[in-house]
Each structure stands twice: as C-alpha cells, then as structure tokens.
Amino acid sequence: MRHRLAAAFALTLSALALAGCGLFGPEAYETDERSIEVDAGEDFRLTVPASPGMGQNWYLATPHPDDDVVRLTGQDEETEGSDLDGGAKGTQFFDFKAVEPGTTKIKLLHCPLGRCGGEFGDPAPSPSTSPFPTATATPGLDPEYFIYTVTVR
C-alpha cells in the first residue's frame, strides 16, 4: 500500500512539473503580459480575446518580429456560441517558436467592430483610423496596437 501511494504521489508531481514545462501545450501569454522571456527552442502562444462574429479580429502587424529570434508557427481561433448569440465570443491564438537568443518585438493589431476589414489569418489590413499603441491590458473600441517584447535566452 505504501508503494502505491508513493507511486501515485510521484506521478502527480511529475505531471505538474511537466505541465509547467509546456509539455501539454505552449506557455500562453495574454494581453496584460507584454514582457515575455523564453528559452531558445521553446514554443509560446499569444492569446487575445476576440468576437469574430462582431467583426473583431487581431492581426500580426508590421514590422514583423525578427525571424532570427522568433518565428510565427501558426494562428488559430476558438469561438463560443454562435453569431446568432450576439457575436460568438472567443479567443485568437498566435503561436511562435523561440529560435535564438535575442530580443524582438511582436506587434498585434486589434481591429474591433469591423473597423479594419479583412478576415482572421489575412495579412494585417489598413485600419480606417490610425491605430496607436495601448498601455492597457483591455482592448478598446478603436483600432490599436499591442506590442510584446520577447527576450529569448
């Protein structure tokens, strides 16, 4: 009995340790976490709130991050509900791979209420008004940039 309990405890600790290492998915950073430190070779994800049914989308804007430091590996979105429910709230994901040590910036364009045109996954469109960098963690009602500083160790 003692060995089974010890084995179960060790298995639980191992699972928790591996979860912290990103084994069950990349480390995720939200809009309030814009200073990111990762190790070379590590995958990480930027997670942003979106309502595609209401015309709210995010785009990787120019200038793009330095490919020698990080690389975009994919984009995805998840929605809850349907467009009939008032816009299908959801989340958009931007997945990156940390390549080599260095520092770079990742610039995301937030486009609310269809003010920029384009669909998720398209290149960043030209917004109808000039966006500005935001210092808050909460996306507003105007187009704005969210700038992440990524340091790869």
Side-chain angles (χ1 to χ4, degrees):
M1 175 72 172
R2 181 181 287 174
H3 292 295
R4 281 191 223 158
L5 186 58
F9 184 69
L11 183 61
T12 302
L13 284 178
S14 296
L16 288 173
L18 292 174
C21 295
L23 182 66
F24 298 116
E27 184 76 28
Y29 299 91
E30 297 181 357
T31 57
D32 62 340
E33 304 170 279
R34 291 199 232 142
S35 182
I36 300 168
E37 290 187 18
V38 293
D39 293 322
E42 188 176 340
D43 294 320
F44 65 97
R45 170 177 270 189
L46 302 182
T47 303
V48 293
S51 294
M54 294 292 291
Q56 180 186 59
N57 284 299
W58 293 76
Y59 305 90
L60 181 63
T62 56
H64 292 154
D66 183 347
D67 278 345
D68 291 335
V69 179
V70 300
R71 289 201 183 112
L72 179 69
T73 59
Q75 299 180 54
D76 201 3
E77 65 182 358
E78 288 179 359
T79 56
E80 302 168 11
S82 72
D83 291 345
L84 301 175
D85 294 339
K89 297 215 181 283
T91 305
Q92 287 181 246
F93 306 100
F94 294 84
D95 294 326
F96 292 89
K97 175 84 150 180
V99 181
E100 292 185 20
T103 300
T104 191
K105 298 206 182 283
I106 297 173
K107 186 176 182 181
L108 296 183
L109 172 61
H110 171 244
C111 290
L113 308 171
R115 299 201 38 207
C116 300
E119 296 292 325
F120 176 68
D122 289 346
S126 296
S128 57
T129 60
S130 182
F132 55 92
T134 181
T136 67
T138 306
L141 297 176
D142 292 315
E144 56 198 335
Y145 291 115
F146 281 67
I147 300 171
Y148 298 80
T149 302
V150 181
T151 300
V152 177
R153 304 178 288 249

